[in-house]
Amino acid sequence: MKQINLKNPIHFFAFGFGSGLLKPAPGTWGTLAGLIIAIMLWSLTQSVLFFVLLTLISFIAGCYICTQTSKDLNVHDDGRIVWDEIVAIFLMFCYLPEYNLLSYLLTFISFRVFDILKPYPIHYFDKKLESGLGIMFDDILAAIYALISLHILYCFI
């Protein structure tokens, strides 16, 4: 088993630029890092197309990044690997109902709820899919659930 090496670009991305090494709850810290990055990128681009492309590229790269880091650590879906949370936040920024502070806060909360609870079929895919695809896919599903819940909520506020 290799040690974590943030000088290794694969580990650097997998551990969310170091946010996944924070304790407690590295997934929460990774989500926060993703949210901060997404807010900064949105303020620069204000482009849904940019986020769609960013999400696709980050997802594809993430499958490799997470697979390689899991192999290096000899642990499938080590909790410190948070690239999947970051990419899930990028996906959410493709389809937010609004782009403001309240929406960002609700994005963070709703994603964390679905990522932690893993309702069906998220839990199923989390257990059945292996390698980086499995690590990435359950968070994408959690982001989709969170987006649906946000859009429903925004129908009432």
Side-chain angles (χ1 to χ4, degrees):
M1 173 162 67
K2 288 184 181 178
Q3 283 193 309
I4 296 169
N5 178 4
L6 292 181
K7 291 182 180 178
N8 175 340
I10 293 170
H11 289 185
F12 184 68
F13 284 106
F15 295 114
F17 318 107
S19 64
L21 302 177
L22 297 172
K23 294 179 182 180
T28 299
W29 291 108
T31 302
L32 182 59
L35 184 63
I36 291 167
I37 293 166
I39 291 169
M40 290 186 327
L41 290 173
W42 181 260
S43 70
L44 293 173
T45 66
Q46 296 189 3
S47 169
V48 170
L49 178 59
F50 172 82
F51 272 92
V52 168
L53 294 173
L54 178 64
T55 301
L56 287 172
I57 292 166
S58 298
F59 180 84
I60 293 166
C63 289
Y64 174 77
I65 288 166
C66 294
T67 296
Q68 191 57 49
T69 303
S70 290
K71 285 180 183 177
D72 289 348
L73 299 176
N74 201 26
V75 177
H76 174 68
D77 204 0
D78 185 292
R80 298 169 295 181
I81 297 173
V82 295
W83 185 251
D84 48 338
E85 278 85 1
I86 292 170
V87 175
I89 294 297
F90 292 166
L91 172 63
M92 291 188 72
F93 265 68
C94 295
Y95 304 105
L96 288 180
E98 292 181 4
Y99 295 86
N100 57 39
L101 189 57
L102 176 62
S103 185
Y104 302 153
L105 179 63
L106 293 173
T107 294
F108 179 83
I109 293 168
S110 63
F111 173 73
R112 289 308 302 147
V113 166
F114 287 107
D115 190 32
I116 291 166
L117 295 180
K118 297 189 186 321
Y120 184 82
I122 299 170
H123 181 74
Y124 172 82
F125 286 111
D126 183 44
K127 297 298 176 201
K128 293 294 181 188
L129 291 177
E130 297 191 11
S131 75
L133 177 62
I135 294 169
M136 298 294 297
F137 192 68
D138 71 298
D139 286 73
I140 294 299
L141 289 177
I144 292 169
Y145 275 47
L147 277 168
I148 291 168
S149 70
L150 283 179
H151 281 272
I152 291 170
L153 178 65
Y154 269 80
C155 288
F156 297 103
I157 56 174

